[in-house]
Amino acid sequence: MLRVAVVGSGPSGVYAAQSLVQQREVPGVLVDVLDRLPAPYGLVRYGVAPDHEKIKSLTGSLRSVLEDERIRFLGNVEVGGPALPTARLREMYHAVVYCVGAAQDRHLGIPGEELPGVHSATAFVSWYSGHPDAAQAPFDLSGVASAVVVGAGNVAVDVTRILARGVPELAPTDMPQAALGALAASRVRAVSMVARRGPSQGKFTTKELRELGTLQGVGVRVDPAELAPDPAYGDPDAAAALPAVARRNLEVLRAWAAAAPVEAERNITLRFYLRPVEVLAGPDGRVAGVRFERTAPDGLGGVGGTGVYEDVPAQLVLRSVGYRGAPLPGLPFDPVTGTVPHAAGRVLREGRAGVGEYVAGWIKRGPTGVIGTNRPCAKETASSLLQDAAALARRMLGQDPLDALRAAGLSPVQWPGWLAIETAEADLGRSLGRRSVKIPDWAGLLGAAGA
């Protein structure tokens, strides 16, 4: 019997567990899926926007894996902390697979970024998704008329959409009641989503981009003059050479730019070739706007500054310029790539691959790809682990890891505890006249789980 710990219950962790128990080469593999949170599913629960119910329905397939009798979910277990150092975890299992994602957001690195009213898109997403770490930092949108979102990926599109979307469209989702109330009190009427490069270099997908044009009471504006500098915008040959997604994005943006402006309650403006250089403060010391420098293509695939500046007013600034992994105490870490060094998923220490420690997901390859990308990534790691199975199984283990975790002072939330949280959230939704509503704080989650 091979006992394996998978750290992280998001898609990469669940797919790793699935690959380990469903293979036939090494019989008798048992997997404990550990998570710092008492709830499973990682970014599918706490990162996918609440109004994207089709993507969130992926929890159904993740659930079926975690309900496998060979897999045990153990939430409310922090790996790398004082109670459970990584070295101790390694003693409890034959092997450990780290699927801890990329938890840190990148900064703009410009003056004024520390001003009140400037946040990461990650923090905003965590808040409206009900992440318990965000409960102590709620967003007050009652004094915000204009918002700036810096970035050109799907997360930037998500937060732009949530800021502009009407509450009646969000009420049927599982968004926490406090976040829904804050959005109901929002005075946001203008959202600018700003990219430093051109439209053909946007990282958003066409489905998410097009969705901005379907919001009730919301107008979408694009200035043709900001699209024109893109070499692919006016050159059919250059456009034809683009990936299919970029070509479709250009078609959507071209249609919006050509459309006559319409009066709308709220407006989204997509801006291009603007690089943030400073966050501006108002008389109250809070953010009042962002100063951008106009950029232009440099002929090498990048952009350069032009020395022309523009100030965009905003009482809320959300940066969405990417993620990076965070070091986990006890594991090697490459600060340049923000990943754990590895060879086919085997953790490298001083350039050498050992047996017993593995990585999968974003901490392995960086924050790239979509949810489905995690499946082949996890399968590769599981394959490496299974190749090492004979050597791993020689080591004798002690007590059941669950007993060891409890002896260390931890209170793991097992699958019945998670089901109790689901029931409590369904009850909360009914009491509010809504569908299931997330419990957004640690005390509420642990209380519902009976931990």
Side-chain angles (χ1 to χ4, degrees), residues 3 10 31-32 36 62 97 104 134 136 156 202 281 296 413:
R3 189 175 287 279
V31 179
D32 284 350
R36 185 176 71 89
L62 300 180
V97 183
Q104 292 183 341
Q136 301 304 315
V413 171

Side-chain angles (χ1 to χ4, degrees), residues 163-238:
L163 283 169
R165 176 155 249 169
V167 168
E169 298 172 278
L170 294 172
T173 73
D174 63 359
M175 180 180 287
Q177 187 70 12
L180 187 68
L183 288 165
S186 168
R187 299 176 61 85
V188 174
R189 296 296 176 264
V191 184
S192 298
M193 192 178 95
V194 188
R196 66 183 180 90
R197 299 194 292 180
S200 68
Q201 295 170 309
K203 299 298 183 182
F204 36 70
T205 52
T206 310
K207 179 180 181 295
E208 279 67 28
L209 178 66
R210 188 180 286 120
E211 192 175 2
L212 295 177
T214 67
L215 305 181
Q216 297 178 14
V218 178
V220 180
R221 301 174 178 177
V222 184
D223 186 346
E226 291 193 339
L227 303 181
D230 193 311
Y233 181 68
D235 184 346
D237 293 333

Side-chain angles (χ1 to χ4, degrees), residues 196-201 229-231 273 275 294-306:
R196 66 183 180 90
R197 299 194 292 180
S200 68
Q201 295 170 309
D230 193 311
Y273 290 114
R275 177 171 62 197
R294 173 68 59 189
T295 63
D298 61 8
L300 302 174
V303 293
T306 64

Side-chain angles (χ1 to χ4, degrees), residues 114-400:
E114 74 290 344
L115 287 173
V118 181
H119 306 272
S120 69
T122 307
F124 189 62
V125 170
S126 294
W127 169 71
Y128 68 60
S129 296
H131 195 295
D133 288 348
Q136 301 304 315
F139 282 75
D140 181 358
L141 304 175
S142 60
V144 178
S146 300
V148 164
V149 179
V150 180
N154 279 345
V155 174
V157 174
D158 278 348
V159 298
T160 297
R161 186 183 67 256
I162 293 296
L163 283 169
R165 176 155 249 169
V167 168
E169 298 172 278
L170 294 172
T173 73
D174 63 359
M175 180 180 287
Q177 187 70 12
L180 187 68
L183 288 165
S186 168
R187 299 176 61 85
V188 174
R189 296 296 176 264
V191 184
S192 298
M193 192 178 95
V194 188
R196 66 183 180 90
R197 299 194 292 180
S200 68
Q201 295 170 309
K203 299 298 183 182
F204 36 70
T205 52
T206 310
K207 179 180 181 295
E208 279 67 28
L209 178 66
R210 188 180 286 120
E211 192 175 2
L212 295 177
T214 67
L215 305 181
Q216 297 178 14
V218 178
V220 180
R221 301 174 178 177
V222 184
D223 186 346
E226 291 193 339
L227 303 181
D230 193 311
Y233 181 68
D235 184 346
D237 293 333
L242 291 174
V245 172
R247 292 199 305 272
R248 291 194 294 267
N249 289 343
L250 279 176
E251 292 171 3
V252 172
L253 293 167
R254 186 180 285 110
W256 284 338
V262 296
E263 291 295 325
E265 182 183 356
R266 298 176 299 280
N267 288 288
I268 294 171
T269 305
L270 302 180
R271 307 293 308 273
F272 297 95
Y273 290 114
L274 290 173
R275 177 171 62 197
V277 295
E278 183 181 0
V279 179
L280 306 174
D284 58 357
R286 297 182 57 84
V287 60
V290 183
R291 178 161 295 161
F292 291 93
E293 181 183 15
R294 173 68 59 189
T295 63
D298 61 8
L300 302 174
V303 293
T306 64
V308 177
Y309 297 89
E310 176 183 346
D311 294 350
V312 177
Q315 299 79 48
L316 173 70
V317 175
L318 299 176
R319 61 176 184 269
S320 181
V321 290
Y323 301 92
R324 59 179 288 108
L328 188 65
L331 278 186
F333 185 75
D334 183 344
V336 176
T337 63
T339 61
V340 172
H342 73 93
R346 294 183 180 90
V347 172
L348 295 175
R349 290 186 179 274
E350 298 181 351
R352 300 182 61 182
V355 297
E357 294 178 309
Y358 307 86
V359 286
W362 279 4
I363 198 63
K364 171 186 174 184
R365 68 180 191 274
T368 60
V370 295
I371 291 175
T373 311
N374 290 293
R375 191 180 290 277
C377 172
K379 189 172 182 179
E380 179 193 52
T381 296
S383 177
S384 293
L385 189 157
L386 293 168
Q387 291 170 20
D388 301 337
L392 293 169
R394 295 192 193 106
R395 186 164 60 89
M396 298 295 294
L397 300 180
Q399 63 190 130
D400 184 333

Side-chain angles (χ1 to χ4, degrees), residues 7 34-36 77-81 84-86 89 96 98 100 328-329:
V7 182
L34 314 180
D35 203 293
R36 185 176 71 89
V77 175
E78 183 174 6
V79 175
L84 186 60
T86 52
L89 183 67
V96 180
Y98 294 94
V100 293
L328 188 65

